[in-house]
């Protein structure tokens, strides 16, 4: 006789720097109700704000951890490379924001799954402290292209429009609540 399919509640504490969205209603995030066993996987994407949690009184680091605690997922996906997820916080501090690092110490290791990628060159290896300063050739190419784009005077008008969006995103990250970042009701999917 086949074993009944276990329901997994998964939370992806993926930091979608300001381009955030969610797949669970606000009431589910803050007051999760028992769900009937359907055999389907329930997923919640949790938007985080990198450094803005430090200054946003409406969406603090504590709010992130409390949302995860209340949701009580079976699996917590964190935007940390699989190679790095089990490393100590001193190592993680080189590359990852505080909310990601804290998840690795505040929640059971057996629930954590890392997902991120810094190029084929870094796959399967720990990062060096200078990985973003030229030691990783793939990352260095991306940074070089970014500097060239910023210096290209033919893009000045377009870059000015982007700067307005970046400024607005920063303002939103400084004041919005978890419900505003994680739920608008527009991302609910059923299958």
């Amino acid at each position: 006789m086949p074993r009944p399919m276990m329901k997994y509640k998964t939370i992806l504490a993926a930091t979608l720097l300001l381009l955030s969205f969610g797949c669970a209603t606000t009431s589910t995030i803050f007051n999760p109700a028992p769900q009937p066993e359907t055999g389907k996987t329930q997923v919640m994407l949790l938007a985080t704000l990198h450094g803005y949690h430090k200054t946003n009184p409406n969406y603090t680091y504590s709010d992130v951890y409390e949302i995860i605690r209340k949701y009580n997922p079976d699996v917590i996906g964190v935007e940390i490379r699989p190679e790095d997820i089990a490393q100590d916080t001193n190592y993680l501090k080189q590359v990852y924001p505080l909310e990601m690092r804290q998840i690795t110490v505040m929640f059971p290791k057996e629930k954590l799954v890392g997902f991120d990628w810094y190029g084929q060159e870094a796959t399967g290896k720990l990062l060096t402290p200078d990985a973003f300063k030229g030691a990783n050739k793939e990352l260095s190419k991306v940074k070089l292209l970014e500097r060239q784009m910023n210096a290209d005077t033919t893009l000045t008008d377009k870059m000015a429009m982007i700067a307005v969006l970046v400024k607005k995103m920063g303002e939103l990250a400084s004041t919005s609540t978890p419900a505003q970042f994680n739920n608008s009701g527009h991302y609910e999917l059923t299958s």
Side-chain angles (χ1 to χ4, degrees), residues 21 37-38 42 44 54 64 70 74-75 88 92-93 97-98 100 106 116 129 134 150 164-165 175 177 181-182 189-190:
F21 58 92
E37 189 64 44
T38 64
Q42 181 181 4
M44 178 177 66
K54 186 176 183 178
V64 172
K70 283 185 177 182
D74 295 318
V75 177
D88 65 42
L92 296 176
K93 190 174 185 176
L98 180 60
M100 293 182 209
M106 295 179 75
D116 205 348
N150 291 333
V164 170
L165 293 174
T175 60
T177 66
F181 272 106
N182 292 292
L189 299 175
T190 58

Side-chain angles (χ1 to χ4, degrees), residues 43-62:
V43 175
M44 178 177 66
L45 299 177
L46 178 61
T48 60
L49 309 175
H50 293 310
Y52 283 98
H53 289 291
K54 186 176 183 178
T55 56
N56 182 340
N58 300 314
Y59 193 8
T60 66
Y61 291 113
S62 295

Side-chain angles (χ1 to χ4, degrees), residues 94-142:
Q94 298 177 96
V95 180
Y96 302 103
L98 180 60
E99 68 272 13
M100 293 182 209
R101 298 189 316 260
Q102 284 301 102
I103 289 169
T104 70
V105 295
M106 295 179 75
F107 295 93
K109 297 272 186 223
E110 62 273 8
K111 287 188 170 193
L112 303 178
V113 175
F115 66 93
D116 205 348
W117 191 70
Y118 289 144
Q120 189 62 38
E121 179 181 344
T123 300
K125 303 173 194 165
L126 294 181
L127 298 171
T128 61
D130 57 351
F132 288 94
K133 297 175 185 159
N136 181 311
K137 290 179 182 127
E138 287 174 285
L139 293 176
S140 297
K141 286 178 190 175
V142 170

